[in-house]
Amino acid sequence: MKINTIIPILMCTWMAQACAWDEGPFVPKKAKPGPDTNGVNIPEPTLLADTVAFRAQIVPIFTANCVQGCHNPHHEFLDLRPPVAHEQLLTEGAKAPYVNPTLPKESILYKHMVGIYTPMPKDLEKLPQAQIDLIYTWIAQGALDN
């Protein structure tokens, strides 16, 4: 075999192995899932043992932190006023569903609360972790209108 034939074969073999080892030099690396998402360190949510009541426990959080500022009838995506909050979160909001009981950490609502997406409440302090845990538990329990 001539050297002109061996060198290209070796180069192709080397490049194929390099691609198999690290996805190749021209393939962008994918972010690995982990606790630090979008530059935000997210504490592991606590799943509470007690049943969470949407009307008695979740709606007051929305009323105090969300409705007054943005999420009212004038908001283009989501109205969180007490009479319509549940329907808006599950079916009627512009990007509904905002909650995913099967994968609560993948819920749009949860990702906003912890700061993966635009942090909510916007321009205010993040909700206390106890309230985030309460909302997370409500989502994980099926996001019931109870």
Side-chain angles (χ1 to χ4, degrees):
M1 264 181 129
K2 294 184 177 182
I3 193 122
N4 291 343
T5 307
I6 294 174
I7 291 178
I9 291 172
L10 290 174
M11 290 297 292
C12 287
T13 304
W14 175 77
M15 289 174 65
Q17 287 177 342
C19 289
W21 290 327
D22 68 355
E23 299 178 307
F26 303 109
V27 177
K29 304 286 187 217
K30 294 179 182 173
K32 294 180 182 174
D36 189 0
T37 307
N38 198 20
V40 178
N41 188 8
I42 303 162
E44 188 66 27
T46 301
L47 192 59
L48 307 174
D50 295 334
T51 300
V52 178
F54 180 72
R55 300 279 171 202
Q57 295 172 280
I58 304 302
V59 167
I61 296 171
F62 292 158
T63 302
N65 298 285
C66 311
V67 175
Q68 300 301 323
C70 297
H71 293 283
N72 52 48
H74 305 292
H75 194 275
E76 64 180 312
F77 296 119
L78 184 63
D79 181 358
L80 290 176
R81 291 174 302 132
V84 297
H86 191 264
E87 292 78 17
Q88 286 278 305
L89 287 166
L90 271 66
T91 59
E92 295 177 8
K95 295 183 180 179
Y98 288 85
V99 294
N100 181 346
T102 307
L103 299 167
K105 287 183 186 177
E106 296 300 316
S107 296
I108 294 171
L109 177 64
Y110 178 75
K111 288 182 175 186
H112 278 295
M113 290 187 313
V114 297
I116 294 172
Y117 293 165
T118 304
M120 297 288 168
K122 196 171 185 180
D123 302 326
L124 297 174
E125 289 292 318
K126 179 179 168 184
L127 291 176
Q129 189 62 41
Q131 289 183 342
I132 292 172
D133 291 342
L134 192 65
I135 294 170
Y136 178 84
T137 300
W138 169 73
I139 295 169
Q141 290 175 352
L144 302 174
D145 188 8
N146 55 355

